[in-house]
Amino acid sequence: MTNSAHTLSTRRTQGLRGTITIPGDKSISHRVAILGGLAAGRMTVKNYLCSQDCLNTLRAMQQIGAKITPLRETPGYGVTDFILEGCCMQPQAPAQDIDCGNSGTGMRLLAGILAALPFTSKLYGDASLCSRPMQRIIQPLSLMGADITALGEKPGCAPLLIRGTRLQPIHYNLPMASAQVKSAVLLAGIFAEGTTSVTQPAVTRDHTERLYAHFGIPYTVNGLIISTTGPADIRAKDITVPGDISSAAFWLVAATICPNSDITLLNVGLNETRTAVIDVLRRMGADIRITLRSAEHEGEPYGDISVRTPARLVATDILPEEIPNLIDEIPILAVAAAFAEGTTGIRNAKELRVKESDRIATTAGNLRRMGANVEEYEDGITVTGGAPLHGCALPGYGDHRIAMSFLIAGLNAEGTTTLDTADAIDTSYPGFASHLAKLSR
Ligand code: S3P
């Protein structure tokens, strides 16, 4: 692997070997910062994801009164362990506008709480974030009485001007299977007097609910309906964030598509609303073994995952109900599909069009540039595996998961694969390049 300012390159490897510890889960880290930042008391947070996205959310909480005391810094990576002292539900108005960087999760979840707090705030982000739909949270929060104005050039887009006010509880039917929208409403529900509930069209990641249990916030789950009753107190409680399965996914695929690989990934979150990537890869023939370390550590299961190159990889169809539970893994699963015999179908996934990039177009485009056989549809792609991939210079589109997916594809391609805008990787996986170097040594 080589790198220059904002590009990274890979070449065909002789096989990946070794053991790495996967950095903290991005979704959980955002939620720990928000809930811990509001809580009464001090808590120790360990293995926080110190990526740009999650650091922005932590900074936002500091801007409204949370305090951080660093405990442990990993050189070249950042502060992962710290004491978080919450503002005890007595936040202060931020002195400056709040920068959410590249993070849809950060912006949408923060909007859920800021809508209910007694001051005006403004959330902004980078060009990608300012082109992503925010109406999906403005709509339900407005039904609760929130006063949010989308100031972006594109209608319904950030920056968001939020004039905090008293919110009313609602019942909301989520129009799309989005954990971010569900969580924005449930977070606002902490402040509304009475029961706020959300019906989701399909199961989505349930980290918010698990953290409600951890922090003593009332909630119930009845099938696809999640409810919370406010106003609620939040009690600080120590937490260790498990490793991010969405980051582990790059190595699951890398060791699957690169002959002679045998790797172990330590400390990976195994929440069943996130593990569909493992089910799909196993269906394709991947040799993945899991050692469960805890079925429920501070609310979340985690364990170690070992992966060896399988004898053969075959195509599969990803089921509609699997899509929300592997939505972030689709670019890397599409790379795996390029190495599988037959045609893999990835449909019912139009949400991919509004991620950090239009991931249907960017995944299909980059696979084609490498020589793969891809059909693009409005709601997904099909990939017919078998054509050897060739390395080339590829756009990363400023999208961390596109950059990482195609650097992994380059590990079993002819020649050199170079991704531009590879600095975007830091938004979710600081340390990716050093893990790549360690495993391919
Ligand atoms: C996330 C939910 C998903 C996912 C994102 C993180 C979360 O987005 O793509 O990376 O932490 O709730 P949607 O809820 O918009 O599908």
Side-chain angles (χ1 to χ4, degrees):
M1 183 204 59
T2 53
N3 70 59
S4 66
H6 295 311
T7 66
L8 278 178
S9 302
T10 48
R11 297 178 63 81
R12 181 164 279 142
T13 165
Q14 300 306 308
L16 298 176
R17 303 212 152 234
T19 298
I20 55 171
T21 302
I22 297 296
D25 186 277
K26 180 161 77 73
S27 293
I28 299 175
S29 294
H30 281 295
R31 288 158 170 82
V32 164
I34 292 172
L35 293 169
L38 289 170
R42 289 154 61 94
M43 56 191 272
T44 302
V45 179
K46 290 190 180 155
N47 202 37
Y48 188 84
L49 178 63
C50 53
S51 71
Q52 290 310 322
D53 276 7
C54 297
L55 290 176
N56 279 326
T57 297
L58 200 54
R59 243 176 257 126
M61 295 311 294
Q62 285 176 283
Q63 281 178 261
I64 64 169
K67 296 196 171 55
I68 310 288
T69 312
L71 292 176
R72 180 163 174 261
E73 177 161 3
T74 309
Y77 181 52
V79 176
T80 55
D81 299 0
F82 50 86
I83 293 173
L84 173 56
E85 186 176 343
C87 67
C88 199
M89 298 299 251
Q90 303 286 322
Q92 69 201 26
Q96 268 117 31
D97 294 346
I98 293 174
D99 183 3
C100 298
N102 186 245
S103 178
T105 311
M107 183 171 282
R108 294 185 179 122
L109 270 52
L110 284 168
I113 63 160
L114 292 169
L117 298 180
F119 47 73
T120 295
S121 55
K122 192 162 155 192
L123 295 175
Y124 70 98
D126 66 12
S128 152
L129 183 53
C130 289
S131 70
R132 295 178 65 187
M134 291 298 146
Q135 197 53 38
R136 54 180 58 200
I137 52 126
I138 296 175
Q139 204 231 349
L141 294 174
S142 302
L143 291 172
M144 297 179 81
D147 181 351
I148 305 179
T149 310
L151 302 172
E153 279 168 27
K154 238 174 106 179
C157 290
L160 301 181
L161 181 68
I162 304 180
R163 295 187 187 85
T165 184
R166 238 180 126 89
L167 299 185
Q168 306 302 317
I170 52 163
H171 175 77
Y172 190 63
N173 288 315
L174 276 186
M176 72 291 286
S178 165
Q180 293 181 4
V181 181
K182 170 180 74 175
S183 300
V185 175
L186 291 176
L187 287 166
I190 291 179
F191 300 89
E193 198 166 329
T195 298
T196 295
S197 53
V198 176
T199 301
Q200 41 184 357
V203 174
T204 62
R205 65 190 68 194
D206 65 356
H207 306 301
T208 300
E209 296 88 308
R210 286 168 185 261
L211 284 172
Y212 277 22
H214 182 78
F215 290 120
I217 303 167
Y219 81 101
T220 59
V221 179
N222 181 2
L224 292 170
I225 306 172
I226 328 286
S227 311
T228 188
T229 302
D233 291 328
I234 308 176
R235 292 191 303 268
K237 193 170 172 198
D238 295 349
I239 195 158
T240 302
V241 179
D244 197 327
I245 189 160
S246 298
S247 299
F250 298 105
W251 310 117
L252 299 181
V253 171
T256 297
I257 64 170
C258 297
N260 304 313
S261 296
D262 189 351
I263 63 169
T264 298
L265 312 171
L266 301 178
N267 188 28
V268 185
L270 294 170
N271 178 321
E272 63 182 18
T273 63
R274 298 285 300 282
T275 48
V277 60
I278 296 178
D279 303 336
V280 169
L281 285 171
R282 279 183 168 155
R283 257 192 344 256
M284 295 174 80
D287 182 351
I288 298 176
R289 282 148 295 142
I290 295 178
T291 307
L292 190 66
R293 295 281 165 214
S294 170
E296 202 186 295
H297 179 75
E298 292 162 352
E300 295 276 352
Y302 79 98
D304 303 336
I305 307 181
S306 296
V307 198
R308 279 190 305 222
T309 319
R312 188 164 168 249
L313 208 57
V314 292
T316 190
D317 282 320
I318 299 184
L319 307 171
E321 63 272 23
E322 288 177 321
I323 293 290
N325 298 329
L326 50 64
I327 190 78
D328 292 339
E329 289 72 74
I330 288 177
I332 191 65
L333 280 172
V335 167
F339 291 88
E341 283 167 40
T343 300
T344 293
I346 308 174
R347 304 293 300 271
N348 305 290
K350 67 175 191 306
E351 278 292 303
L352 286 177
R353 297 238 179 240
V354 290
K355 296 293 177 189
E356 286 82 331
S357 67
D358 171 348
R359 286 186 180 154
I360 294 179
T362 53
T363 302
N366 276 356
L367 276 174
R368 275 199 201 106
R369 288 181 186 102
M370 294 187 84
N373 207 326
V374 186
E375 290 293 329
E376 183 178 333
Y377 303 87
E378 189 44 38
D379 69 342
I381 56 175
T382 56
V383 183
T384 303
L389 298 191
H390 51 78
C392 52
L394 294 173
Y397 300 100
D399 182 336
H400 52 131
R401 296 196 203 282
I402 294 297
M404 288 186 276
S405 296
F406 287 91
L407 286 166
I408 298 296
L411 293 173
N412 193 0
E414 198 57 46
T416 304
T417 302
T418 302
L419 268 294
D420 67 18
T421 63
D423 49 326
I425 291 172
D426 284 347
T427 62
S428 72
Y429 197 160
F432 173 82
S434 58
H435 279 172
L436 181 54
K438 185 173 177 199
L439 293 175
S440 41
R441 211 171 19 226

